[in-house]
Amino acid sequence: MKRIGVIGLGNIGGHVAANLLADGFEVMVCDLNDSFVNNLVAKGARKGNAKEIGQHAELTLLSLPSPAVIKSVTKEWLSGAAKNSILVDLSTNSPEMAKELGQTVSDSGCSFLECPLTGGAPGAMNRALVFMIGGDKTVYERAKPVLDKISRASFYMGEHGTGNTAKLVNSLLAFTCTWTSLEGLAMAAKTGIDLRTMVNVIRTGGASNFYIDNMVEYLNIKEKPVMFGLSLAAKDASLIEQMGKQLGVPTPVAHSIADVYQQAIAAGLAQKDWSALEGFMEKQSGATLTIAPKESVK
């Protein structure tokens, strides 16, 4: 499998396409942003629209912003796709939409895998993405040699819908840990507690999480590059709520997190990185969130 298509060349798709080009694949790319396309054409990619990519590629990767866009692009791709071509959606989607797309693509004589991911732009750049895959396992085995080139791990979850279920569960925990950590740190800061000491207490006391273990070390950087846009996080939070309702699972915490994201967007942070929640908490609470370097603690 040498002919690859990549549709959507943002923080994920652009790095994935560049890495596949470096590996010697014949890559055709598509994006609404001409500069993204031209950058990859200069590295050896071919330019095409979704239909032309369907005609060219044995396997096509999608990295798109919303379920509606994914559905529209899939329709265009199918208008040109050869039989037995594989469409792999790296985007975060609703489980129900993944099931619908799987059926639509199958009815057209092609194959569909949902393949949402974690790792963000750094993971895409460094071939360290983690995939959660839903679809026919034999199709996954066909696609796996390509996916292995751009990831550090893949988990086959089951039929269509299970990949995005896994991704949204993972996102719920990440979103919740981040915001509750910021709530706690803001309370500590407003009472005069040193945040490095507070973090050490949490890590030692057994209540730590991925934010406290890793992301808090970048707390002092107030304007970070956009690796995962807050508007995309808000979209994912909405999908989590939607999934909970469809499954009959109560999600009061997910609802609260989705509300926080909507407040942040209303405050003008939609195009900022997800980490802008730190500054948003500072404004909301009146706390100053800074942390001393690790080496200053004895």
Side-chain angles (χ1 to χ4, degrees):
M1 192 176 292
K2 294 294 291 182
R3 300 190 309 278
I4 307 297
V6 182
I7 303 176
L9 305 175
N11 281 330
I12 304 298
H15 292 307
V16 164
N19 284 332
L20 292 174
L21 281 167
D23 290 337
F25 288 93
E26 299 171 22
V27 181
M28 182 178 281
V29 297
C30 175
D31 194 279
L32 295 177
N33 188 318
D34 287 339
S35 66
F36 292 171
V37 173
N38 293 338
N39 177 56
L40 287 161
V41 168
K43 295 177 181 179
R46 292 173 56 193
K47 176 181 178 179
N49 57 37
K51 180 178 180 178
E52 290 167 338
I53 287 176
Q55 293 168 334
H56 161 82
E58 298 163 275
L59 181 147
T60 299
L61 302 167
L62 303 182
S63 183
L64 299 169
S66 72
V69 174
I70 295 163
K71 188 173 183 179
S72 175
V73 169
T74 297
K75 182 178 179 180
E76 185 181 351
W77 179 85
L78 283 172
S79 69
K83 300 296 182 185
N84 298 317
S85 298
I86 302 174
L87 183 65
V88 180
D89 184 17
L90 306 183
S91 322
T92 301
N93 205 339
S94 73
E96 292 304 310
M97 179 64 77
K99 293 175 185 177
E100 179 184 331
L101 291 175
Q103 188 62 55
T104 299
V105 173
S106 177
D107 289 346
S108 298
C110 299
S111 298
F112 177 78
L113 289 176
E114 54 170 337
C115 194
L117 55 87
T118 65
M125 184 185 304
N126 297 311
R127 303 174 186 260
L129 297 171
V130 176
F131 294 129
M132 291 146 278
I133 291 127
D136 188 294
K137 194 167 187 179
T138 60
V139 177
Y140 166 53
E141 294 298 337
R142 288 174 58 203
K144 190 174 184 298
V146 176
L147 298 177
D148 285 350
K149 293 281 190 181
I150 54 176
S151 67
R152 64 182 174 89
S154 294
F155 293 90
Y156 176 73
M157 307 307 300
E159 63 185 13
H160 289 128
T162 58
N164 274 285
T165 298
K167 170 59 191 290
L168 294 175
V169 168
N170 188 80
S171 294
L172 172 61
L173 297 178
F175 294 169
T176 303
C177 290
T178 296
W179 187 251
T180 54
S181 295
L182 291 173
E183 288 182 0
L185 293 176
M187 287 188 276
K190 292 202 78 170
T191 55
I193 293 175
D194 173 73
L195 291 191
R196 173 58 67 187
T197 304
M198 189 71 247
V199 164
N200 288 339
V201 168
I202 297 168
R203 290 174 177 173
T204 306
S208 198
N209 58 60
F210 105 99
Y211 182 85
I212 294 295
D213 285 341
N214 299 297
M215 304 309 295
V216 76
E217 300 299 338
Y218 305 96
L219 184 60
N220 297 347
I221 304 172
K222 299 305 181 184
E223 190 70 25
K224 301 179 181 69
V226 180
M227 297 294 183
F228 178 41
L230 195 53
S231 60
L232 290 177
K235 180 264 294 183
D236 291 358
S238 177
L239 290 175
I240 293 167
E241 274 201 285
Q242 178 184 318
M243 182 176 73
K245 289 177 182 177
Q246 289 172 338
L247 295 174
V249 175
T251 54
V253 175
H255 177 76
S256 296
I257 295 299
D259 185 58
V260 167
Y261 286 144
Q262 290 306 316
Q263 291 178 43
I265 286 173
L269 301 177
Q271 303 308 314
K272 298 292 187 179
D273 186 67
W274 178 42
S275 59
L277 289 173
E278 296 164 345
F280 184 61
M281 172 56 81
E282 287 187 318
K283 290 181 180 179
Q284 293 286 95
S285 66
T288 299
L289 301 180
T290 58
I291 189 166
K294 282 184 180 181
E295 56 270 22
S296 70
V297 178
K298 297 180 180 179

